[in-house]
Amino acid sequence: SGWRPSYPGATATGQRHYRDGAATDLEVFQAYYANQRQGAELVGQDSSLVGLDRGWNTLEERVVDGPSGRWRELTVADVAGSRSLIRARWYVDRRAFAEPRLSQVWYGFASLWRPAPSAVLAIRADCLPDCAAAAARLEGLAQAIARDVGPIDRLRTAGVIP
């Protein structure tokens, strides 16, 4: 798809492609920071859900609430004009945020006492046949993720973080 989010300085990143029952592509991206620092920030100048200089444009941005919880949702277009939906959630020390700036405020507070691991989880679907269908597919994927262990716990279980 060419979707390459940018989270420089992350301790670990991962991106996977899935095909749902309707044979449409879904993508999952995650970036994890054991500790944030200058140039390695969950929310910063070079951190981007759509990537930097790759021809992706954000057309609309909003917060959506659904059975899987609250997510930031972006309607984006690639260089060919094909539209997609991206849903994202930021995590700081097991607390989820749909507002990236609020996650950084919480990080500043939480990191005063101890390291505060943080991550972003983003999911993407093409708007095929339309963006309403993409939203439904993303909600299904988000519900499956919500039933799973949270992203920071998953990294801890995998031994990526202590």
Side-chain angles (χ1 to χ4, degrees), residues 138-152:
L138 288 179
E139 182 57 36
L141 180 57
Q143 287 180 38
I145 290 169
R147 286 189 300 269
D148 196 1
V149 179
I152 290 177

Side-chain angles (χ1 to χ4, degrees), residues 83-153:
R83 294 187 326 155
S84 301
L85 289 184
I86 298 171
R87 284 193 179 176
R89 191 180 278 162
W90 292 261
Y91 295 85
V92 175
D93 203 25
R94 293 191 177 102
R95 189 177 293 255
F97 297 88
E99 298 286 349
R101 299 283 180 218
L102 288 178
S103 74
Q104 283 306 93
V105 170
W106 184 255
Y107 175 81
F109 177 74
S111 65
L112 289 174
W113 291 277
R114 59 183 167 72
S118 50
V120 61
L121 176 66
I123 55 180
R124 189 193 75 80
D126 292 325
C127 288
L128 296 173
D130 55 32
C131 287
R137 289 193 304 276
L138 288 179
E139 182 57 36
L141 180 57
Q143 287 180 38
I145 290 169
R147 286 189 300 269
D148 196 1
V149 179
I152 290 177
D153 288 331

